[in-house]
Amino acid sequence: MTPPPSAVVHPDADLLAKATAARIVTRLVDAQAAQGAASIVLTGGGIGTAVLRELAATPARDAVDWRRLDVWWGDERFLPTGDPERNETGARSALLDHVNVDPARVHTMPAPDGPDGGDPERGAERYAQRLLAASRPENHADVPSFDLCLLGLGPDAHVASLFPEQPALYEDERTVVSVHGAPKPPPTRVTLTFPAIRASREVWVLASGGGKADAVRLALGDAGPVQIPAAGARGRARTLFLLDRAAAARLPKSMVAPGVL
């Protein structure tokens, strides 16, 4: 049975980013010590990119063997490689260009200038095949059992590019799909689906700012994932909502991890 999520609250967005970066180091080091390698799913957005910058800046980053890390993405804007709006572009600038990653283990999502051209459906299928190739038969899943999946939270409670009431939320077989007509620009995207996200050992949902407070409350309540997608983002071993005080303002104290401000 999947354990219920818990919330950890930090005083402000800056401390949230720093503390999350420290958590990531510990999680990856532990995974590499246990199994020789580790995998992470990255997110974009303001707080997601801030976390990656803090991860690049902390001296503790050298405890991670970056050559033995597989890097994936939870979603991507279907824009040309290098476009400043792509999550990949932000991740490279904030972190990946500053650590010794193995390029073969950095699994970027499709772009219109990639091998499938302007066909996001074919790009999504190609990414799904890469996930399948990296999975282990004993896990009985079509994706790797990611050690850590980072997800940003939108004011409408979307995670990755899974927006409320959109068709991708009903997907229970495919692990990667294209998204058309997203309510947040750009309208065309590629995203992991719930089956892929829920294969993760740990899922961490990041949120900062008062504009996310209602979404956080609903995601940690009894809402359904079609209306509140973040309510469906759960890890097999642990789910954390990592928040600043403003994003946690609507939570009852009983939902916050003991001893955390």
Side-chain angles (χ1 to χ4, degrees):
M1 182 177 179
T2 302
S6 58
V8 178
V9 183
H10 298 280
D12 55 43
D14 183 58
L15 289 173
L16 167 61
K18 287 180 168 61
T20 302
R23 282 182 179 272
I24 291 172
V25 170
T26 300
R27 180 73 190 98
L28 296 182
V29 169
D30 286 349
Q32 289 180 336
Q35 59 204 25
S39 58
I40 187 170
V41 177
L42 299 184
T43 185
I47 191 62
T49 304
V51 167
L52 299 186
R53 283 197 296 267
E54 293 295 343
L55 185 52
T58 178
R61 79 179 199 192
D62 293 334
V64 177
D65 186 343
W66 296 97
R67 301 293 293 182
R68 294 190 293 131
L69 179 69
D70 282 289
V71 179
W72 304 86
W73 271 266
D75 75 319
E76 187 58 275
R77 298 165 172 89
F78 196 64
L79 297 169
T81 302
D83 189 290
E85 293 299 311
R86 277 180 65 87
N87 291 334
E88 174 200 352
T89 306
R92 289 189 183 280
S93 176
L95 174 65
L96 299 179
D97 289 347
H98 308 285
V99 292
N100 187 29
V101 291
D102 179 354
R105 300 181 81 155
V106 177
H107 308 282
T108 57
M109 279 191 155
D113 54 333
D116 298 302
D119 188 340
E121 286 78 16
R122 288 185 62 185
E125 291 171 4
R126 185 183 296 272
Y127 205 71
Q129 288 300 312
R130 294 179 72 179
L131 289 169
L132 179 61
S135 66
R136 296 181 177 181
E138 61 267 26
N139 292 336
H140 304 291
D142 293 335
V143 295
S145 182
F146 306 117
D147 294 297
L148 176 58
C149 177
L150 301 175
L151 297 171
L153 177 69
D156 60 355
H158 83 267
V159 289
S161 284
L162 300 172
F163 293 93
E165 308 284 352
Q166 293 291 305
L169 295 167
Y170 297 93
E171 186 61 58
D172 58 6
E173 292 186 2
R174 290 183 296 172
T175 57
V176 188
V177 297
S178 60
V179 174
H180 299 273
K184 179 181 178 182
T188 305
R189 298 158 176 251
V190 174
T191 187
L192 298 187
T193 61
F194 280 141
I197 291 170
R198 291 169 179 162
S200 307
R201 291 185 177 91
E202 297 196 16
V203 169
W204 298 358
V205 180
L206 313 175
S208 67
K212 309 289 181 68
D214 283 331
V216 168
R217 176 180 58 84
L218 291 168
L220 285 167
D222 297 326
V226 173
Q227 293 76 29
I228 305 297
R234 299 292 185 261
R236 292 188 295 108
R238 183 163 71 157
T239 304
L240 291 179
F241 278 66
L242 301 175
L243 315 168
D244 66 7
R245 190 171 287 149
R250 301 292 303 276
L251 285 182
K253 291 183 179 180
S254 61
M255 287 188 176
V256 178
V260 180
L261 295 176

